[in-house]
Amino acid sequence: VYRTAASKKSALERTELQKEKTGVFTGAYATNPANGEQIPVWVADYVITTYGTGAIMAVPAHDERDFEFAKKYQLPIKKVVTLDGDFSDVNLDKAFTLEGVAVRSDFLDGLATVDAKQKMIAWLEEKQIGNAKTTFRIRDWLVSRQRYWGAPIPIIWCEEHGAQPVEESQLPVELPTDVDFKPTGESPLVDSKTFHDVKCPVCGKAARRESDTMDTFVDSSWYYLRYTDPHNTNAFADKSKIDYWCPVDLYLGGAEHAVMHLLYSRFFAYALHDLGYLKFEEPFLKLKNQGLILGPDGDKMSKSKGNVVNPDDVVMEYGADALRLYEMFMGPLEDNKPWDTRGVVGVRRFLDKVYNLSLRAERSNPSEKIAASSKTPPRNDMKVLHKAIKKITEDLQELKFNTAISQLMIVSNAFSDASDIAQETFEAFLKLLAPLAPHIAEELWEQLGHTTSIFIEPWPTFDPALIVDDMVTMGVQVNGKVRGTIEIAPDADEATAKNLAIIEPNVLKWIEGKEIAKIIYVPGKIFNIVVK
């Protein structure tokens, strides 16, 4: 009876997380091959045939659905993974689903979850009980929604001819304005008179439009193609422009899009490729997921928690550039980062320092502004700048904005210690700053006397000769242990390095009276003397 009732439910109904789990005990037992224990066999509606082999080994302490089922039918709940060393099974209020350490699991005890799984699989294969297998599955995508703001589904319903596609000459179907948004349980389009004033494309009799709209994921799954040719009125996009711009070089988004939006986008691209519309299958060549900006309390921002930071308020108090820079300076792009207003204050101080640097020449010599400077830039300033050009160029390409900003701060500190700043040096610094703090960079660029935008200027390039240090501190090892250091040019030859190393007092006492068997020298890195 139970099996018949369960078979009438769809897979979606049976796997719905919010529904109450049901099942019956078969009276049979299975033998656990790992320890010989007898396991009761139940039939449950939330276990479906398309998952694995259709039969599962329930782990109620570490799976939410199994936990609910075990609670309902008062089945044993045994904890076999823990973080805190607590092995107690008493009064468990929810399943522990995080990674942890295996406990009460014989030869797996003490192993991290990921290692325990691999060792268990290896054991099963060794005993010829089973083999590792990866199974991919995906639920059906229900694309219709009972709402207004989705794209209309271009179907007309005729009593005689059923569902008929809207003629191509009448596309796109636009949303009407005579709608009432009162909650009725149906789409607001249902009661629109203008929307449903249509005729059947086959017989010409009065008909009715489909009032459901498409899921917004349908549009976002391929709208990037329209960006390649957004003003084309004759086609969705010209193929030559799609070929020029696509596939997309970099997709930057949130990890929460991975299961739906990105997957659907790939479906669309594969289908359009198979139909001959696209020359590529994969729509995005590189994916980078950005982390969340958390509230000051470390939780995800939410109105209900009262931890939301309004960016408009931050812009009003500290400026848009300070907000931009702080968000990029908080940490690596992919990390979740808690908001701290004190960090915005620090970034604003950096921008104030940059602004003051542009005025310093005027303050030190009122008759000569920085824009009029024709002095040769000091070599130390140029070395600091050219190292920054190399580092920031690489960082921006890798989306390492936090370290790029840190490098800009190093340059500004060096400029602050300098007696003067040459115009070309400061201009190159502004070009490095411009992508990150565009407003102040553009303003200071204009103050330097330029009449065109800084954003049409070529990106600065570094001089390889200026990114090499004149002298470096290099360790000197004796038999692999550092015994002293020497100051040396990074490209000095071995003879020069040896002459400096063997007279260094701390090194000399370890090699004096001993035979040098071998010397290992890596210019600018290490000098190792092997003695007998």
Side-chain angles (χ1 to χ4, degrees), residues 148 175-180 192 194:
Y148 174 81
L175 293 168
T177 57
D178 60 332
V179 291
D180 190 339
S192 168
T194 59

Side-chain angles (χ1 to χ4, degrees), residues 127-167:
K127 300 293 184 180
Q128 296 184 342
I129 297 173
N131 295 291
K133 181 181 179 182
T134 301
T135 303
F136 297 95
R137 64 190 181 91
I138 187 169
R139 294 179 181 176
D140 290 339
W141 178 15
L142 180 64
V143 301
S144 63
R145 296 289 184 267
Q146 289 73 49
R147 58 193 181 198
Y148 174 81
W149 54 86
I153 297 174
I155 292 292
I156 292 175
W157 291 94
C158 174
E159 289 187 5
E160 183 177 348
H161 297 97
Q164 295 295 325
V166 173
E167 297 178 61

